Amino acid sequence: MSSGGLRAGLIGLGSMGRHHARVLAGLEGVRFVGVVDPMGDKNGFAQGAPVLPTVDQLLELGVDYAVVACPTALHEEVGLQLAEAGVPALLEKPLADTVEGARRLVEAFESRGLVAGVGHIERCNPALLSLRARLEAGELGDVYQVVTRRQGPFPHRIADVGVVKDLATHDIDLTGWVTGQDYTSISAHTVSKSGRPHEDMVSAVGRLTDGTMVNHLVNWLSPLKERFTSVTGERGCFIADTLTADLTFHSNAAVTTEWEALRAFRGVAEGDMIRYAIPKREPLLVEHELFRDAVLGEPSDICTLRQGLRTVEVAAAVLESAAGGNTVNVSFDSISLQEVAS
C-alpha cells in the first residue's frame, strides 16, 4: 500500500461498473488508479481514471486490489488472472456462471491466502442488516418460513445469463445469510417468454437445514418492480422492502376467543405493527468499505468466495430441478476445498 492509501482498480465499466467507479473515486483510504474496459469510456463513467484495454496493463500499474464487474461469463478468467498475480479481488455476483468455475476461483484465492469476496450487495441493505440482527437476537423466536419476491421489467444490461443466475442469486444468498442456514433441497419451475435462450421467470420452493420453508418468485416479466422479503416465525413476521430499505414487524397477538369452534385451533392473531427507523447508508458504499477493511486486515463481514460458491451451487440446483421436473437435494461438495484449507 502506498502512502496515499490502497491502490484500487476496476474491471468492467458497464451498468454496475460505473457505480463501482463512482464509489471507488470517493472512497476514503483508497486511490482509484485505473479501469479495464476494451470498449473504452464512451459515457464518461471512469471518474478521470485511465481506461485500459487489458487486465495486464492494469496489473502493471501496481494495484492492491481490484473490483471485477465484467460479464459473469468472464469472472473466472479475470479472477484467475488476478489470483495468479497475487491481487485480492471483489467479484460481482454471481461468483461465476458455473459451479466448476466458482470452485476454481475459491481454490485459486484460498491457496494463495488472498482476500476475496463476492458483491452480494443485499447483505449491505439497511433493512436486511437490521432484520438479520433481530433474528440473531431471537426477536422472532423459531423461524418457520422465508418468502422473497424479486420482479420487474427486463434489464437490458443482462445478456449472458438468465434470471436464476442474475436476480435469484440475490435471494438465495440473502436467505442463507439472514437465517444462518444452508439449503437442503429445492424444487423449481421456470419459463421463458421473452424470446431469449435463458429463463426469465422462476418459482421455487426450498427447505433449509433447520427445516425452515423457503419460497422464491423471481422474474423479468412484470411491469411492477418489487423487492420483498418476509420472515415468519413464532412471534410474528418481519417484512423488508429493499427498494426503500424499510423494515416492519407484524406481531402475533395473544387474543382469546369465545367462539367454541376456534378454541382448538392453535394459530395466531393480528397484533401490533412496528415500522423501524433505520439509518439508510448506500449499500454499495458499505460493501466497498467492508472490502477495503478486509484488504487492510481488519475484521470485516464480507461475503466470502466460499459463500458465493454455495449460492452458485443452489442456483445450479434450481435450474436442474426446473429441467427435470423434480426436487433436487442440495449438497455442497467441499472435499477439494477442505484440502486447500488444510
Side-chain angles (χ1 to χ4, degrees), residues 164 168 172 183 186-190 202-204 216 313-323 326 328 330:
V164 171
I172 292 168
Y183 287 75
I186 201 83
S187 177
H189 296 281
T190 60
V202 61
S203 178
H216 300 308
E313 289 176 323
V314 175
V318 169
L319 292 172
E320 180 185 346
S321 171
N326 60 331
V328 174
V330 182

Side-chain angles (χ1 to χ4, degrees), residues 12-232:
L13 204 53
S15 59
M16 272 306 297
R18 63 191 179 100
H19 295 298
H20 284 293
R22 171 181 55 81
V23 173
L24 283 169
L27 188 59
E28 183 178 355
V30 170
R31 292 175 58 196
F32 184 30
V33 298
V35 183
V36 176
D37 198 311
M39 302 297 291
D41 184 19
K42 297 178 292 184
N43 298 300
F45 293 148
Q47 305 290 322
V51 181
L52 311 166
T54 68
V55 175
D56 285 333
Q57 288 174 291
L58 179 67
L59 294 174
E60 289 173 2
L61 295 178
V63 292
D64 295 305
Y65 73 93
V67 177
V68 179
C70 55
T72 305
L74 298 177
H75 283 192
E76 181 184 357
E77 176 187 343
V78 172
L80 292 177
Q81 188 174 357
L82 293 172
E84 180 67 26
V87 176
L90 173 64
L91 296 98
E92 260 299 340
K93 64 85 203 161
L95 174 56
D97 62 341
T98 66
V99 172
E100 295 74 21
R103 288 175 181 158
R104 284 189 285 269
L105 285 168
V106 173
E107 293 174 358
F109 282 93
E110 285 194 355
S111 64
R112 294 170 173 83
L114 295 170
V115 175
V118 186
H120 279 291
I121 196 169
E122 292 287 44
R123 294 188 177 208
C124 301
N125 187 284
L128 293 178
L129 282 166
S130 180
L131 170 56
R132 184 186 188 223
R134 294 176 186 281
L135 291 180
E136 289 179 339
E139 292 185 18
L140 196 61
D142 289 340
V143 176
Y144 303 151
Q145 182 184 49
V146 179
V147 175
T148 70
R149 296 195 303 269
R150 186 175 298 268
Q151 41 191 353
F154 177 72
H156 296 287
R157 62 182 174 81
I158 298 297
D160 58 339
V161 294
V163 74
V164 171
K165 291 183 180 179
D166 183 62
L167 284 188
T169 51
H170 279 302
D171 295 310
I172 292 168
D173 178 75
L174 76 84
T175 296
W177 177 70
V178 298
T179 62
Q181 304 295 318
D182 282 326
Y183 287 75
T184 59
S185 66
I186 201 83
S187 177
H189 296 281
T190 60
V191 297
S192 181
K193 297 292 186 181
S194 61
R196 301 171 65 250
H198 303 291
E199 78 290 342
D200 40 40
M201 175 180 282
V202 61
S203 178
V205 178
R207 187 174 296 276
L208 305 181
T209 47
D210 65 350
T212 297
M213 179 191 295
V214 175
N215 300 79
H216 300 308
L217 177 62
V218 189
N219 76 68
W220 282 328
L221 300 175
S222 171
L224 167 68
K225 187 170 183 178
E226 185 179 32
R227 302 289 185 266
F228 171 94
T229 299
S230 72
V231 182
T232 301

